[in-house]
Amino acid sequence: MKQQTIDQAKAVMIKNDRGSYTVPTQGLYPFQWNWDSALSALGFAHFDEARAWTELETLFAHQWTDGMVPHIIFHEMDDGYFPGPEVWATNQTVPTSGITQPPVAGFAALRIFERAKDRKLATDKAHALLPRIHAWHKWFFANRDPQRTGLVAIIHPWESGRDNSVDWDKAFERVPTEGVSPFKRRDTNHANPDHRPTDEQYKRYIWLVQRFRTLGWDNTKLHDASPFQMVDPGFNAILIRACVDLAKLADELGEEEIAAQSRSMASKGIAALESLWSEEHCQYLCFDRAVGALVDSPSIGGILTAFAPIPDSRAQSLVQRIDTISENCSYLVPSHPPQEPQFEPLRYWRGPVWLIVNYMIADGLLIAGETDMAARIKQDCLKLINKSGFAEYYGPMNGEPCGGGSFTWTAAMVIEILEAS
Ligand code: DGY
């Protein structure tokens, strides 16, 4: 049974493999996506180490000169997706989007390096990637934390990966829709529109893209110019964990300066994360930097913080929080709690379960010694796969498969969970 599931997952990954990068799924997402790619590399590493490194290399081959790693790389034209390269107009040799995504690559690189059987290949590849990943981490703190608070802001919901989270609703009201050029969505040709963001949200996504485009994608200007500046605890936890992991990788490779700088960014971030803790919700919350207030929306972003080395007492509280949420759903961990009025069980990031987020939460809890909850979350991932296949995401009440099918990172997480246990 275990081997059969691994084989099915491998087949999904191979189907979406384009040689030097993978698409998240055919049709809906026909290009290379940043965090999809880095997490998918973890799956490849179990059956083709060289291919895993190539996935990361391809991603970083398209890093901008300022250090940013874009969220989409448009390797081949495909008008089945909107917004395509002509909307972004970022003026890169191979077209890319102009925003970024959760920086999981540092974590993935260390994990692939530590488990590598081919030590020479791993050392060579990690050596080449190390300064590039580090440049990206420094880019975040230089461009997305202008006041040097220790935490970075996202300037577009797509950067979080949690596109239509309830967390953004209030702040999104400040993003206008006037002046948005007419467009036709393509995502709803490939996936059930009831599982996707609304048209109203799409207009605001595009308004932000147009705003940044008029500023020439100059990252020294975009943060302050954006009406959407959100300090997402989950995003920051990923960045902090990536810095911690990059420091370990740098130690292994004898790169002392990168190790010291990475540790310094991580410890400042961990200390600053405390300011996002909510006793009332027993989890972390987003901070809306444009208005200077915490966002009263206890979504999964505040639980994903378990991925970072937060204090043990906080990890214990997050376990309690997940346990409370579990009283109202069948599968952990819903992206928004079913108890909340905005919960929508099947709509993208407003309720559904995502295996990649589950994987990161479980990984952090395991390190914190919270083994029971980590095992419970992983079990739910496997139950979802057995019930509903390799979907993009799943309904937390009935396990219904949602969004795209044959999804690369879902398959990669299953391989990772099964092979590593
Ligand atoms: C999409 O197109 O749905 C993506 O989430 C944007 O990256």
Side-chain angles (χ1 to χ4, degrees), residues 164 166 194-196 328-331 333-354 384 393-403:
N164 66 340
V166 174
D194 294 340
H195 297 176
R196 296 284 305 169
N328 290 286
C329 65
S330 311
Y331 300 94
V333 181
S335 46
H336 204 71
Q339 300 91 315
E340 296 289 317
Q342 301 93 338
F343 171 73
E344 292 184 74
L346 307 181
R347 199 184 281 280
Y348 218 32
W349 288 93
R350 300 178 78 88
V353 175
W354 291 73
L384 285 168
Y393 44 96
Y394 305 86
M397 314 311 256
N398 60 3
E400 185 175 333
C402 300

Side-chain angles (χ1 to χ4, degrees), residues 29 33 71-72 81-82 101 158 163 196 202 348:
Y29 301 116
W33 260 260
H71 102 293
I72 306 176
Y81 179 82
F82 174 85
Q101 252 187 343
W158 285 342
D163 303 7
R196 296 284 305 169
Y202 254 78
Y348 218 32

Side-chain angles (χ1 to χ4, degrees), residues 234-249:
F235 191 100
N236 276 278
I238 289 173
L239 178 57
I240 292 166
R241 171 70 184 267
C243 288
V244 169
D245 285 357
L246 207 74
K248 290 184 192 155
L249 189 58

